Amino acid sequence: MLPPWPERSPGPKPVPDRLCLQGVLFVLYTGIPWQQLPLELGFGSGQTCWRRLERWQDAGVFAQLHRILLSELNAAGELDWSRACVDASHVRAKKGGAATGPSPVDRRKTGSKHHLITDGGGIPHRAITTAANVNDVTQTLALVDGIPPVAGRVGHPRKRPDALLGDKGYDSNPNRKELRRRGILPVISRKGQPDIQGLGKLRYVVEQTFALLHQFKRLAVRWERRLDLHDAFASLACFLICWRRLRKR
């Protein structure tokens, strides 16, 4: 799935893709700055790995990897389409950049927000990055519509859960109407009223997935000014979570 190099190109031979991928994973796991990536590891320089990450993101490699793993999980019967869960989490953005803003939960320091939708078992379907001051409710339909078509079973690829579970931050009658129009039952608590009984016992999986996502140090704090590179790390992390689940099975 990696874009091929030209058969003949001027200059020295490029660092093998496998080594660059190991370098990218090292940065994702540890959060180390690119310029401090040790050359002794043999992954090439941080600049080389950074450029390779950019090249792969432009080619859509990470989104394609995530979609293939979802299909493998669906074929193995690991995806729970009976419901999907949505939530959001704030992260600090040390260097600013696109999709950053004053964080309402961190004394208005510059930050971003990760919006996530998972299946009923906590497998990530889609992650979106916005400024920290963007309301959760504004991303509800973007998350639902962003679920890729997932093959792996007989029939057409599936991309719609039966129900969507959310807390009061997603309370919106227009969104409920749009979800029903898409054939999705909205199970969302209303503001000013008690929470739906038992909703927390079903929604905990998305919080659990956030914990897994932010174990990757490069996502726990945002260092990339460029949104596309930060999204590349997020897509790669979602792929790794899916791969672990498939390997565990």
Side-chain angles (χ1 to χ4, degrees):
M1 285 173 282
L2 299 180
W5 291 94
E7 293 185 2
R8 299 184 64 182
S9 59
K13 187 177 180 180
V15 179
D17 286 333
R18 180 177 292 275
L19 292 178
C20 286
L21 177 59
Q22 290 176 325
V24 170
L25 291 174
F26 188 86
V27 172
L28 175 63
Y29 274 92
T30 65
I32 189 173
W34 289 107
Q35 63 271 20
Q36 294 182 13
L37 184 65
L39 293 176
E40 295 81 359
L41 295 177
F43 302 150
S45 67
Q47 184 72 9
T48 298
C49 294
W50 182 89
R51 289 175 178 171
R52 205 65 59 90
L53 177 69
E54 180 186 37
R55 171 184 170 88
W56 293 338
Q57 175 68 1
D58 292 342
V61 171
F62 301 116
Q64 186 179 2
L65 280 173
H66 187 199
R67 185 168 60 251
I68 290 175
L69 259 292
L70 288 176
S71 298
E72 293 286 341
L73 287 165
N74 195 34
E78 290 292 311
L79 288 185
D80 183 2
W81 291 102
S82 65
R83 59 183 180 271
C85 305
V86 290
D87 206 350
S89 178
H90 292 83
V91 294
R92 186 173 294 183
K94 291 288 188 177
K95 295 185 177 181
T100 62
S103 176
V105 299
D106 193 17
R107 295 172 293 175
R108 296 187 63 80
K109 292 184 178 179
T110 303
S112 295
K113 183 184 287 190
H114 291 148
H115 304 264
L116 184 66
I117 182 168
T118 71
D119 78 328
I123 296 175
H125 281 313
R126 176 73 190 278
I128 296 176
T129 304
T130 66
N133 56 345
V134 172
N135 291 330
D136 299 353
V137 68
T138 62
Q139 302 302 310
T140 306
L141 299 180
L143 287 171
V144 172
D145 294 338
I147 299 176
V150 180
R153 292 294 185 92
V154 177
H156 295 289
R158 182 166 182 176
K159 60 177 299 183
R160 293 282 188 264
D162 296 332
L164 183 70
L165 281 57
D167 59 16
K168 294 180 181 179
Y170 296 91
D171 179 25
S172 168
N173 288 330
N175 281 351
R176 287 188 179 91
K177 181 178 179 181
E178 287 297 320
L179 289 172
R180 291 191 179 96
R181 191 175 66 84
R182 289 166 171 77
I184 302 173
L185 175 66
V187 185
I188 302 172
S189 298
R190 294 184 179 274
K191 296 178 180 178
Q193 298 182 11
D195 291 335
I196 298 175
Q197 187 174 4
L199 184 60
K201 295 180 179 180
L202 299 176
R203 284 190 61 254
Y204 83 95
V205 294
V206 67
E207 299 171 0
Q208 188 179 55
T209 304
F210 264 126
L212 296 175
L213 202 64
H214 291 163
Q215 282 183 351
F216 299 99
K217 297 298 190 297
R218 198 71 181 189
L219 293 178
V221 177
R222 177 179 169 182
W223 294 97
E224 277 68 38
R225 292 190 181 95
R226 288 177 50 178
L227 179 61
D228 59 335
L229 296 183
H230 183 75
D231 286 342
F233 276 129
S235 296
L236 183 56
C238 289
F239 159 76
L240 290 171
I241 292 172
C242 293
W243 178 72
R244 289 173 183 172
R245 183 73 64 93
L246 187 63
R247 186 181 62 170
K248 181 179 179 181
R249 184 185 182 281

